[in-house]
Amino acid sequence: MALSNGEIREEIQRLSEELIQRQEPDGSWRFCFENGITIDACTIILLRTLNVDKEELIRQLHDRIVAAQQPEGCWRWYHDDKEGHLSATVEAYYALLCSGYSRPEDEPIQRAKRYILDRGGIGQARSLLTKAILAATGQRKWPASLSLIPIEILLLPESLPLNFYDFSGYSRVHLVPLLIMAERNFRTRSVRTPDLSELFLDARNGEEDPLTLTPESREPLKLIQSGLAHLVGTPRRIRQAAVNRAEQYMLDRIESDGTLYTYASCTVLMVFALLALGYEPQHPVIQRAVEGLSQMKFTVDSTGQWGTRYVTIQNSPSTVWDTALISYALQEAGVSSSHPAIQRAADYLRSSQHRRPGDWQIHNPGIVPGGWGFSETNTFVPDVDDTTAALRSLSALHGSEPAVLDAWNRGLNWVWSMQNNDGGWPAFEKNTNKEMLTWLAIEGAKSAATDPSEADLTGRTLEYLGNFAKLSVRQDWVARGADWLLSHQEADGSWYGRWGICYIYGTWAALTGLMAVGMPADHPGIAKAANWLIRIQNADGGWGESCRSDQVRRYVPLHASTPSQTAWALDALIAVHDRRAPEIERGVARLIALLHEDDWPSTYPTGAGLPGYFYVHYHSYRYIWPLLALSHYVNKYGDSSPER
């Protein structure tokens, strides 16, 4: 049954009031960026390897990992990961034993052991991060795939057809410490390091089969080798120069909190790499990195999926992202831009705008810094999505406050400058899209090695440009973005979204973007996408998509409705339909019901990091996207009658 506008407005008011009450004194909102148990496990292993005295944190992380174990003995990334995740289970098993709070004979450890052995042992774990942690701590050989990329690649000039900066920034910052450790064949152990050899069913103890390279995967290697031929000097001196360059690369990208690029994952790898270079565990750089990692912990007070209060390590706190989106959502819900909460958020966001140069300038020179990053300690790794999110939240203020106008202009100019040559927008760096790098025989390369135009980034950028910068397809560069989107639509009418799950996310971003810049609702591509969303609507009126979608690259239904995915689908349909459609009415009713439920769909990860290996449950998402969708519904339809 359709809800009245009064009932919907009550829900909008409830969400708005709760968010305003949760704002921090500095103007920010701080919600958990929860990403499985991988970072928790790696942190325990690192702390024990360094013999760092952080007993309370180790115990908290240990308890959280134990609580997340499934009855089958495994750990999962998401609810419908029915077979479990071998790499995550290996990481959890290793960390629990490293912690000292679990013993080999404990029942949870025995269940995990049986699960690992039943699936072929540790040698079958595919995650490159898992392999690296095992190799760095002496449990296995270094992955043969890392030998494909010689560390000397860091010395190649950017003018060559293929060089180090053709990799995405995200992959570079993880690849550098891996190359250092592999080059040194580094391994270290402490008295707390358990022996995992019995879990390798292959007698070679983690030594992989020789790599079989396809003709396609040989292409980037040929270009790399061709570039290396131009380096002058003895092999030993060239190698040492490359190692020195790699070391400096990491040191130059450490933020004020001690972390590398503000990511926990590459910070852990950096510390191991510094040990490989001869740094002592007590070195100030390592100590600061450990403190930075520790500060990334989040204490989740609500019962949630684990049934109790728990502590986790965030891979990168989402404070700027959440603050920008919440401020924007509150304003869409009717909170005045003069409200103290919006003013405080604006001050916080202006202080978070980047002024330092960053690697993004390599492919986009001559542009003044003006973007925003994901977390508040991030000062030189801006991204397009965070920047447009911040600009949306500042939109109502930029016409009346000179300081906000300056931030707005710098941000808009930065977003405009980041458009790729193909017309779309990337996440972090412009024109970092050489497809041959995705052919490398390295796990995860297909998704992480490059930073190409994506439908979600392009759609969200167009939505900002149309609804807030008041631009349209009448501007050539905006039209090029719309053309890119339409040319990358899937055959079924959907779009693939890289940073959310997945086809619902991409389709929402594309539809709202295309409508914002003036594309007609009856355009064949728009109509096809809207029909696709209606076709996949669940019987209960909501929407839900499995994390498996981004692994098989096709829509996989979740067979349950989640708050954020239901809100995305609704928001897209609201953007397209001039009048209330029955599907929208059912969706609104189900969305409001979902906000009062507390079962597994409410904590299902709908953020994406690396297909198959990294998914995110944004604790803020059950507030942000439902509030936006409901507000857009009321703002657009008012008391109009539904379609018949």
Side-chain angles (χ1 to χ4, degrees):
M1 186 175 68
L3 299 176
S4 69
N5 275 3
E7 292 172 299
I8 298 170
R9 287 192 172 99
E10 285 181 11
E11 193 66 17
I12 291 172
Q13 184 69 20
R14 182 188 71 81
L15 289 170
S16 300
E17 289 176 354
E18 184 171 348
L19 285 171
I20 290 171
Q21 291 171 2
R22 291 189 61 158
Q23 189 180 31
E24 300 291 332
D26 67 357
S28 69
W29 278 272
R30 298 173 189 273
F31 284 85
C32 187
F33 177 76
E34 187 172 347
N35 30 246
I37 55 86
T38 285
I39 304 300
D40 299 337
C42 291
T43 300
I44 290 175
I45 296 166
L46 177 66
L47 294 178
R48 284 306 191 210
T49 301
L50 295 171
N51 292 311
V52 171
D53 182 19
K54 286 194 174 290
E55 217 53 47
E56 181 182 9
L57 176 60
I58 291 172
R59 184 57 193 257
Q60 290 171 330
L61 297 177
H62 165 276
D63 292 350
R64 187 268 169 126
I65 293 172
V66 170
Q69 188 179 26
Q70 301 300 309
E72 303 88 344
C74 65
W75 279 261
R76 298 173 181 163
W77 269 106
Y78 47 89
H79 179 82
D80 54 325
D81 186 11
K82 297 301 184 184
E83 298 299 315
H85 199 281
L86 179 57
S87 291
T89 302
V90 169
E91 293 159 356
Y93 177 89
Y94 191 11
L96 293 178
L97 290 180
C98 272
S99 74
Y101 295 109
S102 286
R103 297 170 297 178
E105 61 271 20
D106 291 347
E107 191 268 341
I109 296 295
Q110 287 295 309
R111 280 192 290 129
K113 180 180 179 180
R114 287 194 295 271
Y115 173 88
I116 293 169
L117 291 173
D118 286 347
R119 278 148 185 82
I122 287 180
Q124 296 301 310
R126 292 288 173 254
S127 166
L128 186 56
L129 178 61
T130 308
K131 293 178 181 180
I133 295 297
L134 291 170
T137 52
Q139 302 289 354
R140 56 156 293 150
K141 306 287 186 181
W142 275 96
S145 58
L146 287 175
S147 65
L148 295 174
I149 306 176
I151 197 168
E152 289 87 351
I153 192 176
L154 276 83
L155 300 177
L156 297 184
E158 294 153 28
S159 59
L160 291 183
L162 191 64
N163 64 81
F164 182 60
Y165 286 94
D166 287 326
F167 286 90
S168 70
Y170 184 83
S171 63
R172 290 196 307 267
V173 80
H174 289 84
L175 187 58
V176 165
L178 291 174
L179 293 179
I180 291 172
M181 288 187 282
E183 189 274 336
R184 296 293 168 98
N185 195 26
F186 172 72
R187 58 195 63 232
T188 184
R189 301 175 75 94
S190 75
V191 294
R192 312 294 287 268
T193 305
D195 181 5
L196 304 184
S197 58
E198 65 175 340
L199 293 186
F200 284 96
L201 297 185
D202 191 318
R204 293 175 299 167
N205 193 31
E207 183 177 357
E208 298 172 329
D209 292 328
L211 287 171
T212 302
L213 300 180
T214 64
E216 186 180 62
S217 65
R218 293 180 189 274
E219 289 303 310
L221 304 181
K222 290 177 182 177
L223 280 179
I224 292 172
Q225 290 299 326
S226 174
L228 297 180
H230 291 83
L231 299 179
V232 178
T234 64
R236 179 175 294 182
R237 291 188 64 181
I238 292 173
R239 172 60 59 93
Q240 188 56 50
V243 171
N244 294 342
R245 178 74 61 85
E247 177 184 1
Q248 197 60 46
Y249 179 91
M250 295 189 300
L251 297 177
D252 288 345
R253 288 158 180 79
I254 295 175
E255 287 282 10
S256 61
D257 65 348
T259 63
L260 178 61
Y261 246 53
T262 70
Y263 297 139
S265 53
C266 58
T267 300
V268 169
L269 295 177
M270 176 187 72
V271 172
F272 279 119
L274 293 174
L275 294 175
L277 292 169
Y279 285 60
E280 294 295 328
Q282 296 76 30
H283 192 284
V285 174
I286 290 179
Q287 291 298 306
R288 285 177 54 230
V290 169
E291 286 306 311
L293 279 172
S294 303
Q295 292 303 312
M296 287 187 176
K297 78 173 184 178
F298 197 103
T299 302
V300 180
D301 291 316
S302 59
T303 54
Q305 59 183 318
W306 312 123
T308 185
R309 192 170 186 260
Y310 61 95
V311 169
T312 187
I313 300 290
Q314 305 166 100
N315 194 44
S316 185
S318 54
T319 315
V320 174
W321 175 244
D322 287 335
T323 300
L325 290 174
I326 290 170
S327 173
Y328 156 56
L330 287 172
Q331 292 177 74
E332 294 293 285
V335 177
S336 170
S337 60
S338 62
H339 190 286
I342 304 303
Q343 292 287 324
R344 287 193 298 268
D347 290 342
Y348 174 84
L349 290 169
R350 284 198 302 107
S351 70
S352 302
Q353 189 175 25
H354 289 190
R355 296 182 179 273
R356 289 179 61 191
D359 287 344
W360 59 270
Q361 291 177 315
I362 291 171
H363 296 287
N364 191 14
I367 301 297
V368 175
W372 276 264
F374 188 68
S375 57
E376 64 186 2
T377 56
N378 180 337
T379 63
F380 58 88
V381 189
D383 67 88
V384 171
D385 229 1
D386 276 287
T387 301
T388 61
L391 290 169
R392 285 185 191 89
S393 71
L394 297 175
S395 176
L397 299 170
H398 85 278
S400 58
E401 299 185 21
V404 177
L405 177 61
D406 175 69
W408 170 276
N409 286 336
R410 289 195 298 118
L412 175 56
N413 184 62
W414 189 82
V415 169
W416 166 78
S417 76
M418 288 294 290
Q419 186 176 27
N420 282 334
N421 291 344
D422 62 12
W425 271 268
F428 299 100
E429 294 182 4
K430 183 176 181 177
N431 295 329
T432 313
N433 55 358
K434 289 189 176 175
E435 185 182 8
M436 67 172 60
L437 291 177
T438 68
W439 303 340
L440 288 168
I442 297 176
E443 191 67 29
K446 185 172 181 61
S447 298
T450 60
D451 185 10
S453 297
E454 298 286 3
D456 47 332
L457 274 301
T458 304
R460 296 303 293 149
T461 301
L462 292 179
E463 191 277 339
Y464 156 70
L465 293 174
N467 286 336
F468 298 90
K470 305 306 178 185
L471 300 172
S472 74
V473 288
R474 290 190 297 272
Q475 281 79 33
D476 177 68
W477 60 284
V478 177
R480 289 176 53 237
D483 288 343
W484 184 92
L485 267 181
L486 291 169
S487 68
H488 286 78
Q489 189 173 21
E490 302 288 332
D492 62 7
S494 67
W495 278 271
Y496 171 78
R498 169 65 178 84
W499 300 99
I501 303 299
C502 184
Y503 289 91
I504 292 176
Y505 183 69
T507 304
W508 159 72
L511 280 179
T512 53
L514 290 170
M515 293 299 298
V517 295
M519 296 294 292
D522 60 357
H523 184 283
I526 291 176
K528 189 174 185 180
N531 289 335
W532 178 80
L533 284 172
I534 291 171
R535 191 165 65 250
I536 65 165
Q537 187 174 22
N538 290 334
D540 66 5
W543 282 263
E545 180 176 359
S546 172
C547 291
R548 293 200 306 275
S549 287
D550 73 349
Q551 298 161 55
V552 300
R553 291 301 293 255
R554 59 176 174 79
Y555 170 73
V556 178
L558 181 60
H559 303 297
S561 297
T562 70
S564 55
Q565 290 169 331
T566 297
W568 291 331
L570 269 177
D571 201 37
L573 292 175
I574 291 166
V576 172
H577 287 267
D578 287 335
R579 298 182 65 185
R580 298 182 296 171
E583 295 83 7
I584 293 176
E585 298 296 289
R586 292 198 302 121
V588 167
R590 182 63 186 122
L591 177 59
I592 290 178
L594 282 168
L595 297 180
H596 297 273
E597 297 174 4
D598 194 24
D599 50 8
W600 69 263
S602 66
T603 59
Y604 191 82
T606 57
L610 184 64
Y613 296 104
F614 196 90
Y615 298 96
V616 182
H617 167 41
Y618 287 87
H619 287 228
S620 61
Y621 275 18
R622 69 175 291 142
Y623 296 92
I624 294 167
W625 306 118
L627 180 57
L628 272 175
L630 295 175
S631 299
H632 289 163
Y633 174 92
V634 169
N635 295 342
K636 184 167 186 176
Y637 300 131
D639 296 317
S640 66
S641 300
E643 292 179 359
R644 298 297 181 188

